[in-house]
Amino acid sequence: MNDNTDPMAAFTELADKIRRSAYADGWRDAMNAVSKAVGDLAPGEVQDVIGPAAPLKLVGGTAASGTKSKLTVGTTPYFIVRALEAKPGLTPAEIIQALQDGGHSAPENSIRTNIHRLKERKLIVARHGKWFVL
């Protein structure tokens, strides 16, 4: 530091350096924890957690079609799209059964309404009575 600097400017500069250092330390620690967690998984486990065989209750991740980014995680439309991504070509009754088997508590009429709304939003499409994610 220069002796001619304002004390407030010196304290502000010092506080900024401390903040940047703490952020870098936290980021490094977080990346080390992620690396350790991923390193502890067996090779086949990673695909089961993020692939099409992932359970419906799992949230997050990325979809190949990108439709999940348009949906709120944990909502009925989100679970409908997840079920169709996991197994394309489901009938409405099969979608309802898949959501109920996955532990989603929405009533049947609500699920049917959300299927229609997803169709209107052009996120899913019906082909010969079966539904697919766009």
Side-chain angles (χ1 to χ4, degrees):
M1 275 188 262
N2 191 342
D3 290 336
N4 295 335
T5 60
D6 180 32
M8 281 306 285
F11 285 123
T12 303
E13 182 181 331
L14 182 60
D16 192 45
K17 284 181 182 179
I18 292 170
R19 182 187 53 81
R20 283 194 308 253
S21 174
Y23 181 83
D25 291 345
W27 180 259
R28 185 190 67 246
D29 292 345
M31 290 298 103
N32 287 338
V34 168
S35 296
K36 183 183 181 312
V38 171
D40 291 345
L41 292 175
E45 286 182 277
V46 176
Q47 178 61 31
D48 292 341
V49 172
I50 61 172
L56 290 177
K57 288 186 177 182
L58 181 69
V59 294
T62 58
S65 61
T67 57
K68 283 197 295 187
S69 63
K70 300 176 187 175
L71 301 172
T72 302
V73 175
T75 61
T76 299
Y78 174 83
F79 286 111
I80 291 170
V81 171
R82 288 283 303 193
L84 290 174
E85 286 175 343
K87 188 173 180 189
L90 295 175
T91 64
E94 292 170 333
I95 294 171
I96 292 166
Q97 188 63 44
L99 266 61
Q100 290 172 345
D101 290 347
H104 193 60
S105 61
E108 179 179 333
N109 59 349
S110 175
I111 295 171
R112 289 184 186 277
T113 299
N114 279 288
I115 291 170
H116 177 72
R117 289 177 179 166
L118 287 168
K119 179 186 84 161
E120 295 298 316
R121 291 173 63 184
K122 298 183 181 357
L123 297 177
I124 62 174
V125 64
R127 298 283 187 251
H128 308 290
K130 297 182 185 232
W131 291 94
F132 300 89
V133 176
L134 288 176

